Amino acid sequence: TVNDLDVLTSVAGAVLGPGPHAVVDLLDVVPGVQVDAVRATDDLLPRLAHEESLTNILMLAHASLRPGGVLVAAVPELDRLGALRPTAPPPKVHGDRVTVQLWDWAPDGLSYGLEVVTLLRGTSGWEISATASTRHRVLPAAEMADTLKAAGFMSVQRLSPGESGYRVPVWVAVA
């Protein structure tokens, strides 16, 4: 199967055109080093928004892109789920490994805690092999577009999963 980063890199390549491209992950951006594309997978921007550092990191990404370079960011749109406050999506099963997410919504539905637990089938049954906890803020499409523009991106476009081949909407922003 194609991994998440490959899909985002393919979207960047489709925008940039042919040729080798310097692509980095958002958290690997180095000030003063110019690249062609910056990518971010789906839990990163909501986590940075919760930490109140989203605009600053997007400005850093914009500054690191060569003219015409592109930011490609997958962002789940959970604003409609905030009213429903689901506690978990279906578990993901990969052979003897099961990953479970637990969502703990804030009363206003604008943020949630995310607990990820990975279980591994052992000789005596299921065992916890890894856990992770983060907090995320819900990023509606209009807020995402405004935040990208405020960070200096000129052309901002939202691609649906059908358009990008990614499981959640992908934002493409040109420096």
Side-chain angles (χ1 to χ4, degrees):
T1 63
V2 176
N3 75 36
D4 294 346
L5 296 177
D6 289 343
V7 174
L8 295 177
T9 300
S10 294
V11 170
V15 174
L16 294 169
H21 303 291
V23 180
V24 298
D25 294 328
L26 183 59
L27 294 180
D28 294 333
V29 167
V30 176
V33 176
Q34 294 265 284
V35 296
D36 299 304
V38 175
R39 62 189 177 192
T41 56
D42 39 307
D43 72 330
L44 184 56
L45 297 189
R47 183 168 46 94
L48 293 171
H50 177 75
E51 296 169 359
E52 301 293 331
S53 57
L54 181 59
T55 300
N56 288 340
I57 195 89
L58 290 177
M59 288 171 40
L60 178 63
H62 180 271
S64 76
L65 289 167
R66 66 164 175 77
V70 64
L71 169 77
V72 180
V75 180
E77 293 175 358
L78 302 177
D79 43 317
R80 287 183 227 115
L81 288 181
L84 301 173
R85 293 181 183 82
T87 56
K92 295 179 182 172
V93 180
H94 301 284
D96 287 345
R97 180 182 306 270
V98 176
T99 303
V100 179
Q101 290 185 10
L102 303 171
W103 297 347
D104 182 21
W105 289 87
D108 62 8
L110 299 178
S111 65
Y112 58 97
L114 174 64
E115 301 280 339
V116 179
V117 179
T118 302
L119 304 168
L120 208 68
R121 186 188 308 266
T123 55
S124 61
W126 291 98
E127 300 171 5
I128 296 175
S129 69
T131 62
S133 273
T134 58
R135 293 230 34 106
H136 295 189
R137 188 159 61 83
V138 172
L139 288 172
E143 180 181 351
M144 194 65 232
D146 290 346
T147 302
L148 288 165
K149 289 175 184 170
F153 291 95
M154 301 222 216
S155 173
V156 174
Q157 181 180 6
R158 177 196 172 276
L159 301 178
S160 70
E163 293 170 308
S164 69
Y166 199 81
R167 67 183 177 281
V168 300
V170 170
W171 287 88
V172 177
V174 178

